[in-house]
Amino acid sequence: MFPARVRAGAPLALVILALSGCSSSWGCTDTTAERGEAGVRVQVEDTSGRLLGVTAEVVDWRLEPHPQVPSDGDQVHFRYRFDGADEMSGPAVDACAVDEERVALGCQTVHSAEAFGPVGDLTGDGWLAVEHPEQVAGVLLIPNDQSYDGRTCEQDIKDGGGPHPPEPAGAGDQL
């Protein structure tokens, strides 16, 4: 039989082992947010699906040659606006040129921090190079905030884990 002192100290020893990293598991888990419904005007949401109080909107778009590479032919030139965002810590969303069936032809992430204007009403523009510009029927935004994606459990078992945005949209994705 073990003396009372040994039995009393056993739980403390287990706590020390767990805190020192000798435990077999840190309890690290990664979760990936579901991709939100794309639209011309979207309410931006964080990785937990909570609204951030920011609206992102495609103001307009057109096909035209990019001024720096006109020999590449038509590209999608679009303007966007973030309402409710500030320049320093605002969100980012994916913008995608889509065909009539809402299949992405090309995408990129647009950041409110790259837009200009009064705080709360930031505007910017972007260019999307697509293989077949004649198929473009519109430009849509995906509401998931892409501005921050923390470390995964695989990258850092101790400090990683938690919610992550969905994979960025790309050509061929159905939106």
Side-chain angles (χ1 to χ4, degrees):
M1 224 163 200
F2 289 107
R5 279 190 172 155
V6 173
R7 279 185 281 150
L12 180 61
L14 290 175
V15 169
I16 291 170
L17 284 174
L19 293 176
S20 70
C22 295
S23 173
S24 62
S25 171
W26 281 96
C28 188
T29 57
D30 287 308
T31 58
T32 301
E34 292 289 323
R35 184 176 289 161
E37 180 71 26
V40 172
R41 181 179 169 93
V42 297
Q43 296 290 320
V44 182
E45 58 189 51
D46 68 11
T47 53
S48 299
R50 290 185 301 257
L51 298 179
L52 297 179
V54 175
T55 301
E57 178 180 12
V58 175
V59 177
D60 69 5
W61 69 274
R62 62 188 167 278
L63 295 176
E64 62 185 8
H66 191 289
Q68 294 176 336
V69 284
S71 61
D72 286 354
D74 282 344
Q75 295 183 23
V76 181
H77 183 204
F78 66 100
R79 290 187 330 119
Y80 58 89
R81 176 175 47 233
F82 283 94
D83 292 327
D86 63 48
E87 302 154 328
M88 304 307 271
S89 61
V93 295
D94 287 336
C96 297
V98 297
D99 66 12
E100 289 182 8
E101 297 174 359
R102 294 175 60 116
V103 173
L105 302 171
C107 300
Q108 74 175 46
T109 302
V110 293
H111 298 261
S112 63
E114 295 172 353
F116 299 95
V119 171
D121 186 22
L122 304 172
T123 59
D125 71 324
W127 292 85
L128 293 165
V130 297
E131 192 171 333
H132 297 286
E134 70 280 359
Q135 294 178 354
V136 176
V139 176
L140 300 177
L141 301 174
I142 300 172
N144 305 91
D145 181 15
Q146 295 283 341
S147 65
Y148 175 75
D149 190 9
R151 299 184 62 77
T152 64
C153 292
E154 185 175 291
Q155 294 167 327
D156 188 343
I157 190 88
K158 182 179 175 195
D159 296 322
H164 300 280
E167 287 293 315
D173 286 357
Q174 178 70 49
L175 305 179

